[in-house]
Amino acid sequence: MIVMIYIRIPLLEDANTSILWNDDKDLWSFKKMTCLNNNTIEDEMAWLRYKLKQTNQILFAICLQELDTYVGNVELINIRGNRAELHCYIGNSLYKEKGVGLQAAFLMIQYGFLEKSLEIIYLKIHPSNISAITRYEKLGFEINHHERGMLYMTISKNKFLNKYSISRN
């Protein structure tokens, strides 16, 4: 069964869900960032307010279409000129390995290229996260280089639009 999703701007009440993901060691095991597992709901809401005010990042909530349920986040960070870094994480473990992250990444990449006029989107991924590497390669990302224990993968606007026959208009 294919789980269909949509992405939207996060709501402050999403913090009630995202705070539950802070203790998920599996979620954070492949990330270079860490999460404070003693956050309060006020801390989580402050983090969300901060993220939404940033001008060099775009954060979206990942939601299931059928259930209208918030299950993760996808974001473009470090937006500089025509480049940005992609982050995607599924916090609800019931929807990991179900294609949800792949769909969310696709939607965010499309948004970045078509709405934000980016030319390059890249990501950093742990080399032992083979399943994620394979999924990003399916989207069209290519391994660019290794740095500080991470693989850097990139996709260009032209490659993405051509691969998926998406019009620039």
Side-chain angles (χ1 to χ4, degrees), residues 3-113:
V3 178
M4 299 302 294
I5 61 112
Y6 66 93
I7 58 176
R8 62 162 169 77
I9 295 172
L11 308 172
L12 280 182
E13 59 259 26
D14 290 336
N16 293 310
T17 301
S18 62
I19 195 168
L20 302 174
W21 305 334
N22 293 347
D23 290 328
D24 185 346
K25 290 177 180 44
D26 291 335
L27 175 64
W28 302 106
S29 65
F30 288 118
K31 304 283 185 193
K32 274 289 192 182
M33 65 185 98
T34 57
C35 186
L36 300 174
N37 59 3
N38 57 353
N39 274 4
T40 65
I41 190 65
E42 292 79 17
D43 294 334
E44 194 74 7
M45 291 177 97
W47 170 83
L48 186 53
R49 281 188 201 96
Y50 169 80
K51 292 292 275 184
L52 292 172
K53 287 180 184 174
Q54 299 306 301
T55 57
N56 67 337
Q57 335 184 349
I58 303 161
L59 174 68
F60 285 125
I62 304 168
C63 301
L64 305 178
Q65 279 186 3
E66 188 173 326
L67 302 173
D68 199 33
T69 303
Y70 169 52
V71 297
N73 293 314
V74 62
E75 59 186 326
L76 292 171
I77 66 169
N78 300 324
I79 299 171
R80 291 185 182 96
N82 63 0
R83 300 174 57 90
E85 180 179 346
L86 176 70
H87 280 214
C88 183
Y89 46 99
I90 307 305
N92 185 324
S93 60
L94 295 174
Y95 297 99
K96 292 179 182 177
E97 305 294 328
K98 304 262 192 269
V100 171
L102 190 68
Q103 288 179 70
F106 177 89
L107 292 172
M108 184 57 103
I109 293 164
Q110 185 175 1
Y111 178 85
F113 288 146

Side-chain angles (χ1 to χ4, degrees), residues 132-143 153 163:
I133 293 167
T134 302
R135 285 191 297 272
Y136 286 121
E137 286 176 332
K138 283 182 185 177
L139 277 176
F141 280 87
E142 295 176 342
I143 295 172
M153 300 180 77
K163 179 175 176 77

